[in-house]
Amino acid sequence: MEYIKPGKIIELFEEKFDGSVINSKIEIKTAGLKKNSYNVIWLQINPEDLKNIVKFLCSITPFPHFAMISGNDIGENIELIYHFSIYYGERFKETSISLVMHLSKKNLKILTITDLIPGAQTAEREIKEMFGVIVEGLPDLANIFLPKDFPKGVYPLRKDEKGAAKMVNKEEEVKKVE
Amino acid sequence: MNKESYSIPIGPVHPSLKEPMTFNFEIYGERIEKVNLAPGDNHRGIEFMGRQRNPIQIIYLAERICGICSASHPFAFCRAVENAAGIEVPERAQYIRVIIAELERIHSHILWAGVAAHELGFDSVLYLSWRAREKVLDLLEDLTGNRINYGIFMIGGVRRDISEEQIPRIRETLEYYKDIYGKIEDIFLNDPTIALRTKNVGVLTKEDALRLCAVGPTTRASGINKDIRQDQPYSAYADLEVKAITPDVLTGEVNGDVYDRIIVRLLELVQSIQIIEQCLDNMPSGEIVVEKKLVKLLNQLKKAKGEGIGRHEAPRGEVIHYVKLNESELPEVWKARAPTYNNLMTWVPMLIGQQIADIPIVIASIDPCIACMDRVTILNKANGQKDTLTKKDLHELSVQKTRRIAP
Amino acid sequence: MKLNKYFERSLWVFHLNTGSCNGCDIEIVAGLTPRYDLERFGIKLVGSPKHADVLLVTGPVTSKMLDRVKRVYEQTPDPKAVIVVGACGTSGGVFYNSYNISGSVDKVIPVDVYVPGCPPRPEAIINGVLQAWIKLEKLRESMKVARVK
């Protein structure tokens, strides 16, 4: 597989998905005494195009490494970040690619990518439980982290009224002496 | 489902993982036909707790995600915060971090070797290898003050320096491991019984490993050249020539079985010793932490805005943390991912077609810290009768198989 | 031969992890292996609570484990002792304010011996087992006296 420079990767994405790439930046990180560097790419994209973009990523490099999905509750939207890395196997060539997406809370739906990358199953089940995101195309399996009898409609990592703040057991807290 | 096939749930107590497991096997005779995984018994909501704490408090929480990887998680977390806040770590601290991380790898791989031997029925090897492990724990205690949960990582550096008097002690420990390495290698790679129990058992093909995004020794044993220390070097690894170890270095072929995973871990033991020696030879002098006063550091982090990823190659594979700081005392997002999270799914292709007696060693082979199965229930679908197999019974089955096939 | 008046018989221990980080668990195993060698006294880990004299519990109790802790406790035959190893089993430790944690072990089952530390050293765990041992022998003694009467 041919190595494509990070700037060129972003250009390729912008070319292929016109208007879908909202924001992009490249970070160059250095380490050690010799100050060698590697690249980190951040791309903000349209959630509808996620599947096509991952498909395109798979065509750049046959097996992109899928690391995790991190999520954040930002008021009206849920922010999801899919962390990938490509070009592993050579020193300083590995490039991290993070796909940032904003999903409206009124329409929390996203297409599964498990048919392209089966390793993403655990992570997709996790965002389903923790943020209540409906992952379309993912078989409806049992809870992966939360207990079976966990109340329905509570998504622990949400920061709004659907969060788990009310479930916290505060008995351990030490009361401040006046 | 065939009439004669029955299902075995295993679990739920499975210590050491962030998520201990319940397994559900469908068995036909002795052969495993289907595997279902249901983790979550150990779910403590660490990311949720992290929201109510400031970054320095989170270091100690991150340390306690796993007691065996207690240098890996803080390492990745500190890197993520440093990337987000734009803090440069002094060179000497980078070298000390790598030394601690590699000492942890030595302790973790020897621990794993003992557990693997135990699962096969070689308890004397378990005791001897754990005895050998005490030496590196002594050294870690000398360097950090603790045998486990070292508490040496700090945002922007480390908390303790390595003094001149400690360097000969590190070298002496490394010499000890060089001496006994021959013995360990001889036991695991030349013993005919271990070879019979591990060769062509729990095979993970290269394609499966790539598709399931496996990490660490599990993926390298399947012949994939993937190691963050090599691909995206950080800290002092950027100055050292670290190469990902695949089993063909030793045997010239890649099978992706349990035996190959043993080879990879043993060779990594030697690699870790070399890395520490190189670090000691090239260690620069200077500061060990950017900001000594914690209040000042917290104030600096309070003003920071940005997001960062921290990755580290833990003994079990890639640890990745993501942190977002948003000009407040508490970080906006903290997401941590342990290596077993990715390796979880690799159990399915590994276990299908294997025998019940191979379950312990195959599960232990990806090193989910300690493969401890609490209880196994065999439910016979034909008559609904329930038999319970304890961990001991399962272990007994495994030992019996070793005796049966031993030459 | 009796070593002392408490050394009547050796203890069998069942180790129960209720959500611990594994730091205590490996220290328990380290306590059994040659450096510290609890096994020379005949103390060993068993695979079922039904065979055990002592429950060694580590970690804060997660909601999924809550019921199982109670069940394991009920399955252990009397007289029994419960030892909690580590700070998080004793008080919750670093794990507080979570939606999925019920708190320390002593809120769920009665505890006899606490071994503090994060994680405690193997020597401390051995001392904890010794304390439980003394307690158990006293318990047995009093049961014997009651039977004679």
Side-chain angles (χ1 to χ4, degrees):
Chain A
M1 239 336 118
E2 207 184 328
Y3 175 75
I4 308 170
K5 285 205 167 120
K8 185 86 178 120
I9 289 179
I10 291 180
E11 271 174 36
L12 274 176
F13 272 111
E14 279 171 346
E15 207 175 286
K16 189 105 201 265
F17 302 96
D18 192 30
S20 180
V21 179
I22 301 162
N23 239 329
S24 65
K25 71 175 169 189
I26 305 172
E27 284 176 357
I28 299 165
K29 300 279 175 195
T30 55
L33 285 172
K34 292 175 193 157
K35 304 288 177 209
N36 289 320
S37 66
Y38 61 85
N39 299 299
V40 179
I41 301 176
W42 299 86
L43 281 175
Q44 193 182 349
I45 57 164
N46 234 336
E48 288 91 44
D49 290 325
L50 170 71
K51 189 133 185 182
N52 291 329
I53 285 176
V54 174
K55 210 177 261 172
F56 182 61
L57 197 64
C58 291
S59 72
I60 294 178
T61 171
F63 293 100
H65 173 70
F66 171 81
M68 64 170 177
I69 306 174
S70 58
N72 184 21
D73 185 341
I74 41 171
E76 293 292 299
N77 296 320
I78 299 268
E79 182 186 65
L80 291 181
I81 307 178
Y82 282 56
H83 299 273
F84 291 92
S85 61
I86 54 172
Y87 302 130
Y88 45 82
E90 265 180 274
R91 273 178 80 73
F92 290 108
K93 283 276 177 70
E94 190 174 30
T95 309
S96 296
I97 296 188
S98 300
L99 304 176
V100 186
M101 272 161 292
H102 286 203
L103 267 77
S104 162
K105 272 189 187 166
K106 287 180 192 119
N107 187 25
L108 274 181
K109 272 185 191 158
I110 200 150
L111 279 175
T112 177
I113 58 163
T114 45
D115 45 348
L116 301 167
I117 303 171
Q121 203 207 57
T122 325
E124 288 191 346
R125 284 167 75 182
E126 192 187 346
I127 55 163
K128 192 177 107 192
E129 273 170 46
M130 295 297 174
F131 291 100
V133 176
I134 297 162
V135 185
E136 286 175 334
L138 186 73
D140 191 27
L141 298 160
N143 274 356
I144 191 159
F145 293 117
L146 301 178
K148 262 185 206 159
D149 53 355
F150 199 78
K152 285 224 166 69
V154 177
Y155 304 110
L157 292 184
R158 290 267 278 260
K159 289 176 183 167
D160 54 13
E161 68 282 357
K162 282 189 179 170
K166 55 185 179 283
M167 292 181 67
V168 171
N169 180 0
K170 288 220 170 176
E171 275 176 58
E172 306 286 340
E173 214 169 32
V174 181
K175 287 192 183 75
K176 270 186 191 162
V177 182
E178 295 287 312
Chain B
M1 195 203 283
N2 195 305
K3 222 178 182 181
E4 287 122 78
S5 73
Y6 48 89
S7 71
I8 304 182
I10 294 186
V13 180
H14 198 300
S16 79
L17 288 169
K18 199 179 146 200
E19 38 315 293
M21 302 281 301
T22 309
F23 293 84
N24 209 323
F25 295 104
E26 269 167 31
I27 308 281
Y28 180 76
E30 267 277 306
R31 220 177 62 240
I32 300 166
E33 301 228 298
K34 209 176 152 199
V35 185
N36 283 322
L37 311 168
D41 301 86
N42 209 346
H43 179 68
R44 289 162 289 184
I46 286 192
E47 282 152 17
F48 179 84
M49 285 187 256
R51 274 194 193 159
Q52 306 149 37
R53 302 178 196 193
N54 67 38
I56 292 176
Q57 288 170 322
I58 291 180
I59 297 175
Y60 300 95
L61 194 58
E63 210 156 58
R64 281 153 185 82
I65 288 174
C66 172
I68 304 179
C69 300
S70 55
S72 306
H73 283 284
F75 198 159
F77 173 74
C78 289
R79 284 196 64 223
V81 175
E82 285 149 12
N83 282 339
I87 298 172
E88 282 281 328
V89 182
E91 278 94 12
R92 189 175 174 84
Q94 296 186 8
Y95 275 74
I96 295 174
R97 283 178 172 192
V98 167
I99 290 173
I100 301 293
E102 291 303 319
L103 285 173
E104 186 194 64
R105 195 180 314 273
I106 292 176
H107 120 69
S108 175
H109 281 348
I110 295 179
L111 179 146
W112 177 82
V115 171
H118 170 73
E119 299 298 0
L120 292 172
F122 280 84
D123 270 358
S124 38
V125 178
L126 162 75
Y127 288 124
L128 291 173
S129 54
W130 277 60
R131 187 195 177 138
R133 178 178 159 265
E134 288 291 335
K135 190 92 178 165
V136 70
L137 288 183
D138 283 349
L139 180 65
L140 278 167
E141 190 178 5
D142 185 28
L143 296 179
T144 68
N146 269 326
R147 284 162 56 89
I148 288 160
N149 291 349
Y150 318 112
I152 192 168
F153 285 87
M154 180 45 65
I155 294 159
V158 288
R159 290 178 57 218
R160 278 169 189 245
D161 203 354
I162 292 179
S163 67
E164 282 302 315
E165 303 89 69
Q166 280 167 329
I167 289 174
R169 271 176 249 161
I170 300 174
R171 288 197 192 274
E172 188 215 315
T173 310
L174 296 181
E175 286 304 317
Y176 171 78
Y177 283 109
K178 277 187 198 158
D179 281 351
I180 63 157
Y181 175 74
K183 269 190 207 163
I184 299 178
E185 194 187 17
D186 188 44
I187 291 169
F188 280 96
L189 300 186
N190 299 331
D191 186 283
T193 317
I194 290 189
L196 275 172
R197 277 304 306 274
T198 56
K199 276 195 174 160
N200 292 321
V201 170
V203 175
L204 181 70
T205 58
K206 187 171 180 177
E207 220 208 315
D208 275 340
L210 283 168
R211 283 171 62 241
L212 294 170
C213 304
V215 291
T218 314
T219 190
R220 291 196 280 279
S222 297
I224 301 164
N225 200 356
K226 186 151 90 180
D227 187 327
I228 304 170
R229 294 175 295 168
Q230 165 203 282
D231 305 334
Q232 207 180 70
Y234 48 94
S235 289
Y237 292 121
D239 300 343
L240 311 166
E241 291 290 325
V242 184
K243 272 218 156 77
I245 288 176
T246 45
D248 50 339
V249 179
L250 194 75
T251 58
E253 54 176 9
V254 175
N255 297 319
D257 52 10
V258 177
Y259 190 73
D260 279 358
R261 272 165 234 144
I262 296 177
I263 295 176
V264 169
R265 292 214 170 82
L266 291 184
L267 293 179
E268 282 187 12
L269 212 60
V270 184
Q271 191 187 32
S272 291
I273 295 173
Q274 288 164 354
I275 290 175
I276 298 171
E277 279 181 339
Q278 284 181 39
C279 282
L280 289 178
D281 292 341
N282 303 325
M283 198 148 75
S285 56
E287 285 295 312
I288 57 159
V289 69
V290 167
E291 181 54 71
K292 273 192 185 129
K293 290 189 180 104
L294 293 187
V295 182
K296 246 185 173 173
L297 180 65
L298 270 181
N299 274 332
Q300 193 188 338
L301 290 172
K302 224 185 259 179
K303 284 175 205 137
K305 192 178 162 96
E307 50 192 345
I309 302 172
R311 300 168 85 202
H312 169 60
E313 184 78 20
R316 285 158 194 78
E318 174 202 37
V319 167
I320 172 165
H321 283 229
Y322 166 79
V323 170
K324 187 173 188 178
L325 300 173
N326 198 9
E327 291 175 337
S328 82
E329 200 183 337
L330 312 172
E332 175 131 342
V333 189
W334 169 42
K335 167 83 191 156
R337 205 221 63 210
T340 313
Y341 186 100
N342 265 27
N343 286 343
L344 213 66
M345 302 300 292
T346 62
W347 271 327
V348 179
M350 275 183 207
L351 283 165
I352 284 177
Q354 302 294 324
Q355 295 182 348
I356 303 178
D358 289 326
I359 293 174
I361 182 64
V362 173
I363 287 187
S365 76
I366 75 155
D367 194 3
C369 300
I370 295 172
C372 164
M373 272 151 283
D374 176 49
R375 203 184 67 220
V376 182
T377 321
I378 297 188
L379 183 68
N380 195 333
K381 278 270 159 76
N383 55 10
Q385 197 189 336
K386 222 176 189 181
D387 295 318
T388 301
L389 277 184
T390 60
K391 182 203 169 198
K392 207 170 132 197
D393 297 330
L394 203 64
H395 179 62
E396 195 64 25
L397 269 177
S398 177
V399 175
Q400 274 167 13
K401 185 172 176 189
T402 303
R403 301 233 170 94
R404 206 162 58 232
I405 63 171
Chain C
M1 188 194 78
K2 263 190 183 180
L3 276 182
N4 61 36
K5 66 172 180 174
Y6 297 123
F7 208 104
E8 198 165 84
R9 67 187 213 202
S10 48
L11 292 180
W12 282 12
V13 179
F14 180 73
H15 169 218
L16 175 68
N17 178 332
T18 62
S20 133
C21 74
N22 209 35
C24 301
D25 311 58
I26 51 174
E27 289 296 63
I28 289 169
V29 181
L32 295 165
T33 47
R35 167 76 73 88
Y36 302 98
D37 206 4
L38 262 178
E39 285 205 345
R40 74 198 136 136
F41 302 118
I43 297 174
K44 63 170 193 170
L45 290 184
V46 290
S48 162
K50 289 174 185 169
H51 302 161
D53 303 296
V54 169
L55 277 184
L56 210 56
V57 190
T58 54
V61 184
T62 60
S63 10
K64 234 181 175 177
M65 292 301 295
L66 186 64
D67 179 48
R68 294 191 175 106
V69 178
K70 287 180 193 157
R71 262 156 53 191
V72 166
Y73 180 78
E74 280 157 13
Q75 281 177 16
T76 315
D78 280 322
K80 61 191 160 198
V82 178
I83 308 174
V84 170
V85 177
C88 43
T90 309
S91 68
V94 290
F95 304 118
Y96 55 86
N97 285 4
S98 169
Y99 54 90
N100 213 31
I101 284 179
S102 318
S104 53
V105 177
D106 56 6
K107 286 195 183 132
V108 188
I109 53 174
V111 176
D112 301 299
V113 181
Y114 297 92
V115 183
C118 190
R121 297 181 59 86
E123 290 97 329
I125 298 173
I126 292 170
N127 184 42
V129 172
L130 191 73
Q131 299 302 324
W133 199 338
I134 293 170
K135 195 195 144 144
L136 267 183
E137 289 297 336
K138 278 181 184 163
L139 215 65
R140 281 204 194 101
E141 205 68 30
S142 62
M143 279 165 85
K144 252 186 227 162
V145 172
R147 225 175 286 146
V148 169
K149 273 179 185 171

